[in-house]
Amino acid sequence: LYATYPAIILSAQNNDQFLDYGPTIILQHEINGLTFYSLYGHLRTDSLQHKKPGQVITQGEQFAWVGADTENGHWAPHTHVQLITDLLGHNGDFPGVVRPSEQADYLTICPNPQWFISWNLFVELLFFEKSGIQLLAEDMYRQLQAALKQHRSR
């Protein structure tokens, strides 16, 4: 996995319970004064080596690898990517699945990571290209700002 945007490692730990995340890295990002977090779970165990809170990850830097089922919480190999605007006091872990009664609250603090995965394209479209796609990028940025503002006002 490569960093799509500069970050600071907030935590790197192995949540090694059956069907948990396994090796998990949480990064802290700041974009235009907005602070948010990205969680990467189901990683390879050696992704945690030499990772310390406060460590800087540069844009484009490889920081983790997808883990096999024997080390990633016993899931088929994949990566769990989750954006979070408020960690709610969690450290090293964060719910990826919640009860239906909690879903609306969690959706306000866990925006869709689709825009983040292609952040470079998003920035390019937002600042350098005049098109209908630029309007979409601007709208996605406004939605993230609104989600952060709504959550912080609670």
Side-chain angles (χ1 to χ4, degrees):
L1 302 174
Y2 296 85
T4 58
Y5 200 73
I8 296 171
I9 295 177
L10 192 67
S11 65
Q13 75 177 36
N14 194 354
N15 298 301
D16 61 356
Q17 301 298 315
F18 183 71
L19 297 182
D20 204 332
Y21 288 128
T24 306
I25 296 175
I26 299 178
L27 302 178
Q28 179 178 327
H29 307 274
E30 186 172 325
I31 300 174
N32 295 334
L34 299 175
T35 300
F36 63 98
Y37 310 90
S38 57
L39 179 148
Y40 302 86
H42 310 302
L43 306 175
R44 219 164 69 187
T45 305
D46 61 356
S47 298
L48 302 179
Q49 289 180 344
H50 311 295
K51 301 293 189 307
K52 298 182 188 318
Q55 180 180 337
V56 173
I57 302 293
T58 59
Q59 183 175 4
E61 179 180 344
Q62 186 171 17
F63 67 94
W65 296 265
V66 177
D69 63 345
T70 55
E71 62 185 339
N72 77 0
H74 301 280
W75 295 93
H78 73 285
T79 302
H80 178 104
V81 178
Q82 185 170 350
L83 292 185
I84 306 161
T85 59
D86 184 340
L87 290 170
L88 304 174
H90 291 274
N91 184 21
D93 198 0
F94 193 84
V97 178
V98 297
R99 294 181 184 101
S101 61
E102 300 171 315
Q103 187 176 16
D105 288 336
Y106 275 88
L107 286 173
T108 67
I109 60 172
C110 296
N112 186 337
Q114 183 65 36
W115 70 270
F116 184 76
I117 293 169
S118 57
W119 177 251
N120 293 335
L121 174 62
F122 173 77
V123 169
E124 184 176 329
L125 294 171
L126 183 60
F127 294 107
F128 301 109
E129 187 177 312
K130 295 290 183 186
S131 69
I133 297 175
Q134 180 186 18
L135 297 175
L136 175 62
E138 290 171 347
D139 185 55
M140 289 170 24
Y141 181 72
R142 280 192 297 276
Q143 287 179 32
L144 177 61
Q145 283 182 311
L148 284 166
K149 185 177 180 181
Q150 177 184 2
H151 178 71
R152 289 181 179 147
S153 68
R154 288 181 163 197

